Amino acid sequence: MNVIIITGASSGMGAEFAFQLDYSVGNIDEIWLIARRREAMLEVAQNMEHTTRVLDMDITNAAHIARFKNVLEKDKPVIRMLVNCAGYGVMGQFAKLDMNEQLGMVDVNCRALTQLTYMCIPYMRKNSRIIQLASSAAFMPQPGFAVYAASKAYVFSFSRALGRELKARKIYVTAVCPGPVNTPFFDTAEKNGKILAVKKLAMAQADKVVEKAISDSFHKREKSVYGGWINAFGIAAKLIPHRLILAFLPNK
Ligand SMILES: NC(=O)c1ccc[n+]([C@@H]2O[C@H](COP(=O)([O-])OP(=O)(O)OC[C@H]3O[C@@H](n4cnc5c(N)ncnc54)[C@H](OP(=O)(O)O)[C@@H]3O)[C@@H](O)[C@H]2O)c1
């Protein structure tokens, strides 16, 4: 049984991956949707042609992960694609934010992504794909979004190294590094502070970011960056010393 697995499929870019892969990929028996909110995923599934399996789970919960492991061991799917989209960010000064919310970012964005990737690789075959949602926040440190940016730097670094390791097996890994994307992400992210107005200028639509990510994955690219502003930011973050850029950024 050939499957695609998408985490964070109840909302935003995860739901968009589900819709776009549903109509663009052939030879797939089931698309598995993972997130905590079952009802929201059922709504996504209702608008898809493929057979879907809705796995409501908190990917930071050890018992839920064990349940998922059992599903894999029982069904032995061939995982043609894993899209690790689940994640969240909270803006604000590190020392003033709730500690558990910040540790949660590390748990969801880094730990759970790493664990699910590890669990899925044995079920992959030649030409399978892994898409990891990093962020342009991975390109340099971000005061006022410190833990989130660091978590995405982890995802970006991990994905690039993993891509090299899996190349011989012809499994291809793409790190997606969008700037701000218009999704419910900001309902949580802006709880304690607003993003810079200049960042709002670069706000992208989820369908465009996802379309490019899928195309970059099919083209075996290790990185997917949508939009001229974000590409320019990525280049600047490589060429200009970070301490100079940081000197011009507000520290909150
Ligand atoms: N929007 C942006 O500006 C932006 C920019 C760059 C990168 N990203 C990254 O893109 C990814 C998708 O974000 P989005 O913009 O689509 O945001 P979103 O609409 O808020 O989606 C986040 C998804 O993560 C799931 N999730 C969160 N915690 C979870 C947990 N513990 N267990 C299982 N699922 C969990 C949520 O589902 P439930 O609540 O149902 O569990 C939801 O489906 C994230 O990794 C985010 O960091 C976003």
Side-chain angles (χ1 to χ4, degrees):
M1 175 175 56
N2 285 323
V3 306
I4 290 175
I5 300 178
I6 305 168
T7 75
S10 61
S11 166
M13 285 186 271
E16 191 59 42
F17 269 106
F19 296 139
Q20 293 198 21
L21 289 168
D22 181 48
Y23 70 71
S24 64
V25 176
N27 205 18
I28 291 294
D29 300 298
E30 287 188 4
I31 300 182
W32 294 8
L33 308 178
I34 294 177
R36 289 166 300 185
R37 286 170 296 151
R38 184 173 181 81
E39 288 304 317
M41 286 189 288
L42 287 173
E43 237 173 77
V44 172
Q46 250 175 18
N47 294 301
M48 293 169 64
E49 295 293 326
H50 278 88
T51 303
T52 53
R53 194 180 298 195
V54 169
L55 300 165
D56 48 323
M57 57 186 267
D58 180 340
I59 58 172
T60 66
N61 181 310
H64 295 187
I65 288 287
R67 205 173 68 201
F68 179 62
K69 189 167 178 270
N70 285 339
V71 172
L72 290 176
E73 284 171 358
K74 182 172 154 284
D75 289 5
K76 297 185 177 41
V78 173
I79 301 176
R80 306 302 322 188
M81 182 181 270
L82 167 68
V83 184
N84 269 313
C85 215
Y88 77 94
V90 184
M91 292 172 190
Q93 292 273 310
F94 171 72
K96 290 186 183 159
L97 290 174
D98 178 72
M99 186 182 72
N100 287 329
E101 224 164 31
Q102 304 205 68
L103 292 176
M105 278 186 265
V106 179
D107 288 343
V108 178
N109 302 357
C110 304
R111 193 174 191 282
L113 173 141
T114 308
Q115 190 168 23
L116 288 170
T117 304
Y118 188 83
M119 289 166 70
C120 288
I121 286 172
Y123 297 90
M124 293 188 163
R125 299 287 177 272
K126 185 178 159 190
N127 278 324
S128 287
R129 297 290 198 275
I130 301 173
I131 296 181
Q132 310 282 36
L133 260 290
S135 165
S136 63
F139 297 159
M140 57 171 285
Q142 292 209 2
F145 216 4
V147 173
Y148 179 74
S151 76
K152 293 302 182 176
Y154 170 91
V155 175
F156 189 33
S157 170
F158 168 58
S159 302
R160 294 179 68 199
L162 182 67
R164 297 299 152 122
E165 290 185 11
L166 295 179
K167 206 171 175 184
R169 288 173 60 185
K170 297 196 187 317
I171 297 172
Y172 301 100
V173 185
T174 302
V176 185
C177 301
V181 186
N182 194 5
T183 71
F185 175 85
F186 290 100
D187 299 347
T188 303
E190 289 190 312
K191 265 194 322 190
N192 305 296
K194 297 276 170 209
I195 62 164
L196 295 175
V198 65
K199 283 195 188 171
K200 286 226 156 125
L201 287 176
M203 185 75 81
Q205 295 308 313
D207 58 337
K208 300 287 181 205
V209 174
V210 167
E211 192 183 332
K212 173 139 179 57
I214 293 172
S215 161
D216 285 334
S217 168
F218 285 146
H219 286 95
K220 305 172 185 168
R221 296 190 181 115
E222 69 167 14
K223 182 170 74 165
S224 177
V225 181
Y226 174 79
W229 285 108
I230 304 305
N231 267 299
F233 171 59
I235 293 166
K238 257 193 207 151
L239 297 180
I240 305 172
H242 287 176
R243 68 186 158 76
L244 288 183
I245 305 177
L246 287 169
F248 288 98
L249 285 178
N251 287 324
K252 56 184 180 132

